Amino acid sequence: MRPRQVAVVSSTVIVAVINCGSSSIKADVVETRDGNRLARLRVGRLGTDEARARLDDEPPISLGNLSVSDALAQLLPQLFSRADGIEGIGHRVVHGGERFVAPTLIDDEVAAAVAGLASLAPLHNPANHAGIVACRKLMPNLPQVAVFDTAFHATLPARARTYALPPELASKTGVRRYGFHGTSHAWVSARAAEYLQAPLQELRIVTCHLGNGASVAAVEYGRSVETSMGMTPLEGLVMGTRVGDIDPGVLLHLMREEGLDVDALDTLLNRNSGLAGLSGVGSDVRDIQERAAEGDDRCRLALRVFCHRIRKYIGAYAAVMGGVDAIVFTAGVGENSAEVRHMVAQRLDFLGARLDEDANRDAKVTRTSPVAEISTPRSRCRLLVVATDESRAIAEQTAAVVRGAHHVERERTIPIAVSARHIHLTPASVEALFGKGHKLTPLKELSQPGQFACEETLTVVGPKRRIENVRVLGPVRGKNQIEISRTDEFHLGVDAPVRRSGDVANSPGVTLEGPPER
Ligand code: ADP
């Protein structure tokens, strides 16, 4: 009989990564082991007479007014001719809806499902779908994989993903929070953990992806538990041209008072707001910083609103996770603007986050040297600049699927073991519960060397109910620790995060009851 096997991607794989927007195409041929780019294509202004394409560092070529499919038909064979041994194509897909929570091999049905999600992402999914269709036609023999921007946030708990709308309406229409930029948030949190030499499963990280689109995520023990974008990429931070958070009452007001219809509101909120709307000089942070330094009031306010919103989210996410071990800045603005990082990091001392101004000014990250620390040595919460690399992340995930190892996502592997409910006690607690001088009585050896179940049992008393006869395990430890199931938690009326054995920080309180005194 053959043993069961899981393929693990060890050797390098060459993957073409395609990111099709409504007016642009970005494509890279990536070698997964080192993240080297073997070839590159950039196309802009598609759908206009000014459409241009650039292969590697060659001079741009004019394309004329072409559709995404026609542009791909013309350019992909040229891109592919520049790299031997391409084994698969990875497509960035913006919205995966409820269904797609992992990289998925594309067949006819999956391609149709991506198109079917257009109502949730009308600007993005149709373009992603057009790219998929064109590539499948051009390269029918290459496996193609969809990697979803929403997938990393599939772990958002119900309390974070639910809008306060009637549930029947929400489920009928798919209206809930999904979150985006997931590939980037996952990538930079994993790189931060590597840099900090700590398991991702032991860290609470706030990741700030600040590019043209911008979002913050709370990555608790390797899982996304909150993020600032919602059903669409319009919620949350102030962005290049998007408004981010706004009182929904404003929309009603503008409809009533200014007669704006759906399309006008769409254009206002997605294209004419954000940094561009506030500053009046466009969305590029470099230009806004320059004008602000010259004393332009609109630009100064634009930067202050932008940074204030980011800081507000960092504070909120520290509260959501009960603390924060690292704050990560990434993407065009996060990686390059010392000024924005400086403004955001003001007043974060209460979190133990202290910016080192010199390190901040000098921070430089690249794909080969992706992390720079910008906090002082005494900063309890570490401040990091991390270079994101969505193409490489998509290439790695595509390679894993192509080689048959679905779900090989290093940063999301959570080791688990099953055990019965039990209690560890400190020597002082043993005496407090069982009497002075009491020593635990071994009953049975456990599989972990040196560990044993004791004759002693205790009652756990929660705010709602109690559980009796919970076994004490020995030997004694440095901290009291109770390990119970989620169902036990509901029974007791407590809500503790899932985490590694031994980590008892910020635990909700319960009371332990020993035998009556004799
Ligand atoms: P996208 O969301 O399109 O991938 P990027 O992550 O590339 O965006 O970020 C683009 C933005 O990064 C630009 O709009 C620009 O404002 C900002 N940016 C790039 N370099 C700098 C810099 N040196 N200083 C400040 N902002 C910068």
Side-chain angles (χ1 to χ4, degrees):
M1 214 168 46
R2 276 184 59 200
R4 286 186 194 168
Q5 289 179 331
V6 175
V8 174
V9 180
S10 53
S11 57
T12 196
V13 182
I14 297 173
V15 174
V17 175
I18 313 269
N19 180 355
C20 277
S22 50
S23 62
S24 69
I25 300 170
K26 292 183 192 166
D28 291 295
V29 181
V30 183
E31 188 197 356
T32 55
R33 188 174 45 214
D34 305 314
N36 288 336
R37 302 316 198 249
L38 307 180
R40 189 178 60 164
L41 166 69
R42 295 289 179 271
V43 184
R45 298 176 172 232
L46 270 176
T48 74
D49 291 333
E50 276 101 61
R52 280 166 168 250
R54 197 158 183 210
L55 277 153
D56 297 323
D57 292 327
E58 292 164 14
I61 39 174
S62 295
L63 292 179
N65 195 338
L66 289 183
S67 65
V68 167
S69 321
D70 292 339
L72 281 174
Q74 186 174 324
L75 297 161
L76 266 199
Q78 293 186 55
L79 180 77
F80 276 51
S81 70
R82 293 170 185 228
D84 286 334
I86 295 174
E87 286 189 42
I89 302 181
H91 292 269
R92 178 185 182 201
V93 178
V94 166
H95 217 307
E98 295 265 0
R99 171 174 167 189
F100 295 109
V101 299
T104 305
L105 195 63
I106 299 172
D107 57 17
D108 291 345
E109 194 269 326
V110 169
V114 167
L117 288 164
S119 67
L120 289 175
L123 289 179
H124 299 101
N125 274 44
N128 303 153
H129 178 253
I132 290 171
V133 170
C135 288
R136 291 185 79 211
K137 207 150 118 199
L138 289 166
M139 316 281 165
N141 298 323
L142 271 187
Q144 313 215 8
V145 174
V147 178
F148 299 90
D149 246 30
T150 46
F152 180 58
H153 303 297
T155 49
L156 289 189
R159 60 181 177 267
R161 65 167 190 260
T162 307
Y163 288 115
L165 290 166
E168 316 78 55
L169 178 67
S171 67
K172 179 174 147 223
T173 50
V175 173
R176 48 157 277 196
R177 308 188 66 252
Y178 293 93
F180 299 86
H181 291 143
T183 306
S184 176
H185 289 295
W187 180 264
V188 298
S189 51
R191 298 295 79 73
E194 277 170 14
Y195 173 82
L196 297 172
Q197 299 188 333
L200 193 54
Q201 293 93 329
E202 291 179 4
L203 293 171
R204 294 161 299 180
I205 306 177
V206 176
T207 47
C208 308
H209 176 108
L210 312 175
N212 281 318
S215 67
V216 189
V219 183
E220 184 182 53
Y221 311 126
R223 294 150 57 97
S224 171
V225 295
E226 247 297 8
T227 191
S228 58
M229 285 177 166
M231 184 186 94
T232 72
L234 187 52
E235 192 180 344
L237 298 182
V238 175
M239 303 177 221
T241 61
R242 287 174 238 164
V243 71
D245 291 337
I246 189 167
D247 174 358
V250 172
L251 315 190
L252 305 177
H253 178 78
L254 293 177
M255 290 165 84
R256 288 198 193 103
E257 300 295 318
E258 297 291 314
L260 296 192
D261 63 7
V262 176
D263 291 336
L265 273 179
D266 192 334
T267 306
L268 172 70
L269 303 174
N270 275 303
R271 296 186 196 282
N272 296 339
S273 298
L275 288 170
L278 280 169
S279 70
V281 303
S283 61
D284 196 307
V285 169
R286 285 164 290 201
D287 299 338
I288 300 171
Q289 286 178 168
E290 225 173 274
R291 300 287 185 100
E294 291 161 10
D296 182 309
D297 282 338
R298 278 182 68 173
C299 290
R300 287 172 57 188
L301 181 63
L303 282 178
R304 295 208 331 255
V305 176
F306 179 67
C307 294
H308 170 78
R309 183 87 50 91
I310 300 166
R311 186 164 64 217
K312 198 162 92 169
Y313 269 99
I314 292 173
Y317 288 0
V320 164
M321 296 190 287
V324 53
D325 303 303
I327 299 168
V328 170
F329 296 92
T330 192
V333 181
E335 290 169 33
N336 295 301
S337 174
E339 188 177 339
V340 165
R341 295 191 301 256
H342 165 85
M343 288 171 75
V344 171
Q346 302 296 301
R347 299 184 171 192
L348 293 182
D349 284 27
F350 75 101
L351 294 174
R354 298 204 170 158
L355 187 71
D356 179 327
E357 298 291 352
D358 292 337
N360 182 43
R361 208 172 318 113
D362 297 341
K364 281 247 165 337
V365 291
T366 59
R367 277 206 295 267
T368 44
S369 171
V371 183
E373 178 153 10
I374 55 169
S375 41
T376 64
R378 288 179 50 220
S379 186
R380 190 172 41 76
C381 167
R382 314 278 287 270
L383 298 167
L384 303 176
V385 182
V386 180
T388 194
D389 195 346
E390 287 161 291
S391 289
R392 184 170 175 195
I394 292 172
E396 282 191 5
Q397 296 183 38
T398 301
V401 173
V402 166
R403 292 282 179 98
H406 295 252
H407 306 296
V408 174
E409 290 169 82
R410 280 179 305 178
E411 62 273 26
R412 294 183 64 190
T413 314
I414 299 172
I416 54 163
V418 178
S419 64
R421 60 170 82 108
H422 60 264
I423 298 170
H424 301 280
L425 293 173
T426 64
S429 298
V430 172
E431 292 205 347
L433 288 160
F434 297 102
K436 207 160 172 32
H438 186 91
K439 293 267 178 288
L440 293 174
T441 324
L443 173 74
K444 197 170 148 229
E445 291 283 315
L446 297 178
S447 53
Q448 299 103 309
Q451 305 281 310
F452 52 88
C454 303
E455 280 184 2
E456 289 83 355
T457 60
L458 291 167
T459 299
V460 181
V461 185
K464 266 207 204 140
R465 295 193 199 89
R466 41 204 288 133
I467 302 177
E468 292 176 354
N469 295 321
V470 182
R471 184 72 53 197
V472 176
L473 300 191
V476 285
R477 288 199 176 175
K479 283 190 176 138
N480 293 317
Q481 183 185 343
I482 302 169
E483 293 188 32
I484 54 175
S485 68
R486 277 305 264 172
T487 318
D488 287 346
E489 285 185 29
F490 293 128
H491 183 77
L492 291 167
V494 294
D495 185 10
V498 175
R499 56 195 161 176
R500 289 199 152 191
S501 173
D503 177 5
V504 294
N506 304 317
S507 287
V510 292
T511 306
L512 294 177
E513 240 176 51
E517 283 185 51
R518 266 173 266 166

